[in-house]
Amino acid sequence: MHVLDDFLIYYLQRFDKYCFDVVICGKEYRIGKGEPVCRVIFHKDIPKKELLTSTSLALGEAYMRGDIEVEGDMFTVLKGLLEQIDQFSLDRNAVASLLYPPEDKSTQREEVCSHYDLGNDFYKLWLDPTLSYSCAYFKNDNDTLEEAQKNKVHYILEKLHLEKGMSLLDIGCGWGYLLIEAAKKYGVKGYGCTLSHEQWEMGQERIKALGLEGQVQIDLLDYRDLPKKGMTFDRAVSVAMLEHVGRSQYERYMSVVEQVLKDKGLFLLHFISGRDKVNSNPWMRKYIFPGGTLPTMYEMLEIAYKGQFQLLDVESLRRHYYKTLSCWYHNFQKARGQVEAKMGSEFVRMWDLYLCGCAAAFYIGYIDVDQMLFTKGTNNDLPMTRWY
């Protein structure tokens, strides 16, 4: 056996919670005890240095290149790996630029656009028609993805306790669906901001098509510049945007919302949360969400209470996000040929890992998604129980 082969097998033995077969350069080995759940074929060895620097980068990049093939269910494989993530190696100094990038405006604009400006046509292939790119809400087991995304939007709007004539701010508004629904159903005046030109462009098209130009406005704007607009709002919402803010900017982010929200106003913060403050996935930060950082629920609550915010409600939608990602993954597989023809095989294998891996991460509770509802100051006029 080649020295590198020998180390790879030795290294893989640490992931023995589930039995699986490994094939390296034509030779087959078994890891763990029992009946194998899958067969992993290594067409090329992975250097020891790469595995020890970052397991997620080494295995992820090898899969993207096609150096690794999986015979078996991808979700089962990734779930099994993530359940043993404490066995991953990570040299933080060697990948510091990925884990701790600058969090200034220009850098974050580039990072956001690198993901969301892949093209509206790309996202239309596998998202639902609302183009909602965040956790859906499945009221019923047989809800379609589109139904569940509409459920999510209206669930949020109900939590915000909107009334006709109110003003609503959506920070990181995506393609504008939530603002448009709020304007149509509740008669509010909506304002949204995004850093993605593609999202902004489609948002303008949607607003114009519905004749909502005087009621809904979306700007290409960094949230940090909101106070300069001189506007204040009765309600504010942010869905799946906080993950792009960066840990050094959380206090500033909450301060901005506090500045532009009227007294007694409501703020709903919807975000993917981590279990701790440690950034630990270089592959995700290099290929999917550059600069992405997962806040914890407890640090956001602590920051909120440094200001005028008071918590009204908090809810975990983790299981809903597992199901959402499963839908996206299956939709993506249906469009895989189209995407590969345009973007290449490495790109589609990368998105396989991203969508299926995130589904597994939510399924096992490695990450969560939370909705936190705050008031600015005391608001005793609201119902005393969950009214939605």
Side-chain angles (χ1 to χ4, degrees), residues 5 102 118 122 151 160 187 202 220-221 231 234 286 333 363 365:
D5 295 347
L118 287 171
F122 167 68
N151 291 343
L160 287 169
M202 176 168 283
L220 274 171
L221 184 79
M231 298 184 291
D234 298 293
K286 182 175 181 178
Q333 297 312 305
Y363 183 82

Side-chain angles (χ1 to χ4, degrees), residues 199-229:
Q199 291 183 337
W200 172 83
E201 192 172 65
M202 176 168 283
Q204 306 309 309
E205 293 173 2
R206 283 177 155 180
I207 292 167
K208 187 176 181 179
L210 292 167
L212 294 173
E213 293 97 325
Q215 199 173 346
V216 178
Q217 179 181 343
I218 296 175
D219 284 343
L220 274 171
L221 184 79
D222 190 291
Y223 74 92
R224 284 164 280 205
D225 293 326
L226 278 167
K228 298 177 185 177
K229 302 291 288 186

Side-chain angles (χ1 to χ4, degrees), residues 130-142:
T130 72
L131 283 183
S132 295
Y133 191 21
S134 57
C135 178
Y137 186 74
F138 293 85
K139 285 185 176 181
N140 306 292
D141 289 340
N142 60 350

